[in-house]
Amino acid sequence: MRKYTLLLITASLILTGCQSLTQNQTSSQEEPDSTTTLKVAQAEPVQKTVVEAVKTPSLKIEKAEENAIIVEENLWNRVRSGYALNLEYDKPRLFSQVKWYSSHKSYLDRVSKRGERYLYHIVEKLEQANIPLEITFLPIVESGFDPFGYSHGRASGPWQFIPSTGLAYGLTQDWWYDGRRDIVSSTDAAIAYLTKLNRMFDGNWLHALAAYNSGEGTVMRAIRKNKKAGKPTDFWSLDLPKETRAYVPKLIALAKIFKNPEEYKYTPYFIENKPYFDIVNIGSQIDLAEAAKMANTSIDEIYLLNPGFNQWATSPNGPHRLLIPVEKSQEFKTALATIPENQRVTWVRYTINAGDNLLLIAKKHNTTVNVLKDVNKMSSTLIRVGQQLMIPVAGSKIEKYTLSSHQRLAQKQTTSPKRNQLKTNHTIKSGDTLWDIAKKYKTNTKTLARWNNMGLADPLRPGKKLVIWQQTTVKNNYSSSPSRPSIVKRVVYTLRGGDSLGEVAQKFNVSVANIKKWNPKVGSKKYVQPGDKVTLLVNVVSG
């Protein structure tokens, strides 16, 4: 109470001795249409009077003087102050998205928490570019703020760039590094692309957002089609792909909910209005496990802040920077200064033996032929016995780099997407297509791509193994109570002389159809032979 009394006295003195302070807060409702020119987003802290600060618990006073600077502590309040789009549309598509998000508040909390590391940086960049802060919600629509998000359409990163668009906006994609997942680079690229689209569509942000999703050509054709037919050309009237017709309403719905969360009985996850990370110039390649030690933080934290790095180290070709938690930044810089650049990555000297080739050497050291050629300045793959190669290797066990591309794929391929599923490996042969493989295992291409963390258009290299998950629901030959528990165990049984599939099925209380389904090679035989092995999924509770 004493604190607020002093503040009120100070405010009274200021107000009687000086001119009245003006309020510099713009309401988002002043923007009547999405086609109007962008308003300048507030890059400076909001100015309020001291009296207003007393009434606003989420604000803190920087200076108790005329034109007192009030710094917003809640990032969501800062986002709201930068709204510039019309959010009030009487459209069923919008109502549907508002209903879904407002009834899935745990999802909103989850994506907000996931985006906590990145949101301050994104808001800063959007403000600097004079882009409406409703665009803050675009990574939620695109990727749920998953920095490792990868779609079946080969889009990657929080802003979901496809390879070609990423390259067009300077996002390098190679074995070491994928700029589409780099928080700094991908945000800059997204802002550049959105700015271009906004200009292309004469300031109409809904058209620009639709084009970000489906391509500018798609939206332009839809506009021309409506013009020719004498129809309106606003976003809601255009004949666009189904995904795009829902895409823009999703962003508007999120902006509406976060604008007036109390209307939807929602309390947004609190995110402080301050930097989460510091961008540190490292000047060279560095082992990410060593970087984590220097910063006294976890390897996962380093990967989550620097998801562009695919491997166990940063790229030798850059960018030579790391995002480090603000509170760990100085500790990291101090430790980094003590280690010479040539000692920040572990190297091994390998002597070539008879029978070696670059591919075998690369596989043995968890690297690629191109990396070996690059670091050893080789113009071809020709090698000779006795020749020595320098090979960069992980300084810690490869399993420690839990969020490297290799470990993420391994985790994806060993974790069943549903209960009671059996994993099968399919080795790609020359001529295989994703459609053929999906058909063979009675699934679809999108699901198959998702199981293997790949896109539908990704090349299928002979020898590569794909994971297939097949349902293992056990249908017993004998009736059992539906209330009985089901614990399914994988059993490998070797057929003996006199065994038939029917006898094996009866012995393990499963069906012959299931045995054939689980073992397509054995199931396709006219007769089984002693020594044949079958994999069985046995309910050990029901006997």
Side-chain angles (χ1 to χ4, degrees), residues 102-160:
S102 61
S103 61
H104 291 80
K105 298 179 178 68
S106 61
Y107 173 78
L108 296 180
D109 285 344
R110 191 161 63 251
V111 294
S112 298
K113 190 172 183 179
R114 200 182 291 154
E116 183 176 13
R117 292 176 175 86
Y118 323 119
L119 273 163
Y120 179 90
H121 177 80
I122 290 170
V123 171
E124 284 268 301
K125 289 294 184 176
L126 291 174
E127 285 180 338
Q128 290 169 15
N130 296 334
I131 289 179
L133 291 192
E134 290 92 339
I135 306 301
T136 302
F137 300 100
L138 193 58
I140 296 179
V141 178
E142 283 287 353
S143 65
F145 264 121
D146 180 1
F148 301 108
Y150 191 73
S151 77
H152 58 76
R154 302 184 73 196
S156 186
W159 296 95
Q160 288 289 281

Side-chain angles (χ1 to χ4, degrees), residues 224-475:
R224 284 197 297 268
K225 180 182 176 182
N226 276 25
K227 279 183 178 179
K228 189 174 181 179
K231 296 179 180 178
T233 58
D234 63 284
F235 164 78
W236 306 97
S237 302
L238 297 180
D239 182 17
L240 294 168
K242 182 179 178 182
E243 179 184 319
T244 308
R245 288 170 61 81
Y247 178 87
V248 175
K250 285 179 181 179
L251 183 135
I252 297 174
L254 286 165
K256 281 177 68 73
I257 292 169
F258 278 80
K259 179 182 178 182
N260 296 303
E262 62 281 352
E263 182 180 335
Y264 303 97
K265 298 180 181 178
Y266 174 57
T267 302
Y269 175 80
F270 179 80
I271 298 177
E272 285 191 273
N273 182 27
K274 67 177 187 179
Y276 186 96
F277 59 77
D278 188 17
I279 302 174
V280 181
N281 178 18
I282 55 176
S284 67
Q285 188 179 27
I286 190 170
D287 188 304
L288 293 175
E290 290 304 308
K293 288 180 186 176
M294 292 180 198
N296 193 23
T297 190
S298 70
I299 185 81
D300 283 2
E301 181 71 6
I302 293 296
Y303 272 114
L304 288 168
L305 285 174
N306 302 275
F309 295 119
N310 294 325
Q311 307 304 327
W312 45 268
T314 62
S315 171
N317 303 314
H320 294 313
R321 64 164 183 249
L322 276 180
L323 275 51
I324 302 293
V326 167
E327 67 276 11
K328 304 288 187 178
S329 177
Q330 191 53 54
E331 185 176 356
F332 174 77
K333 291 176 184 176
T334 301
L336 184 68
T338 65
I339 302 177
E341 291 186 1
N342 61 0
Q343 295 180 21
R344 294 175 183 175
V345 173
T346 303
W347 294 81
V348 297
R349 188 183 301 275
Y350 181 81
T351 302
I352 295 171
N353 300 307
D356 274 345
N357 61 56
L358 283 188
L359 182 59
L360 289 174
I361 297 170
K363 285 185 175 180
K364 182 178 180 181
H365 293 90
N366 295 306
T367 186
T368 68
V369 171
N370 285 337
V371 169
L372 293 181
K373 289 174 62 180
D374 184 46
V375 299
N376 290 280
K377 311 298 181 191
M378 299 169 66
S379 58
S380 73
T381 58
L382 294 176
I383 55 176
R384 65 180 186 277
V385 174
Q387 180 182 348
Q388 291 190 327
L389 299 178
M390 294 301 296
I391 306 175
V393 295
S396 300
K397 289 184 178 179
I398 203 68
E399 293 78 12
K400 184 173 181 179
Y401 303 84
T402 49
L403 293 177
S404 68
S405 61
H406 175 78
Q407 291 301 313
R408 291 198 316 275
L409 177 60
Q411 178 66 20
K412 186 95 173 177
Q413 292 184 328
T414 55
T415 305
S416 173
K418 295 180 182 178
R419 294 182 62 187
N420 292 338
Q421 286 195 319
L422 174 69
K423 184 175 84 169
T424 301
N425 287 321
H426 176 90
T427 302
I428 296 172
K429 302 179 183 68
S430 181
D432 272 353
T433 68
L434 213 58
W435 188 85
D436 289 333
I437 298 169
K439 184 180 178 182
K440 177 180 179 180
Y441 293 99
K442 295 182 175 60
T443 185
N444 58 68
T445 53
K446 289 184 179 179
T447 301
L448 181 57
R450 186 174 65 251
W451 288 338
N452 293 279
N453 209 27
M454 60 187 294
L456 294 177
D458 284 0
L460 297 181
R461 296 185 178 87
K464 180 180 178 180
K465 290 187 177 181
L466 296 182
V467 163
I468 315 292
W469 291 99
Q470 295 179 302
Q471 195 60 39
T472 61
T473 302
V474 177
K475 295 181 180 179

Side-chain angles (χ1 to χ4, degrees), residues 175-235:
W175 186 77
W176 286 106
Y177 171 77
D178 190 336
R180 297 176 298 166
R181 294 199 305 267
D182 184 298
I183 301 306
V184 172
S185 296
S186 68
T187 299
D188 289 345
I191 287 173
Y193 186 31
L194 286 164
T195 301
K196 173 194 169 185
L197 293 172
N198 180 254
R199 289 176 184 152
M200 182 181 292
F201 292 99
D202 301 320
N204 189 312
W205 272 109
L206 299 196
H207 285 166
L209 288 165
Y212 188 91
N213 174 252
S214 61
E216 48 264 51
T218 301
V219 178
M220 290 225 175
R221 284 190 294 273
I223 291 173
R224 284 197 297 268
K225 180 182 176 182
N226 276 25
K227 279 183 178 179
K228 189 174 181 179
K231 296 179 180 178
T233 58
D234 63 284
F235 164 78

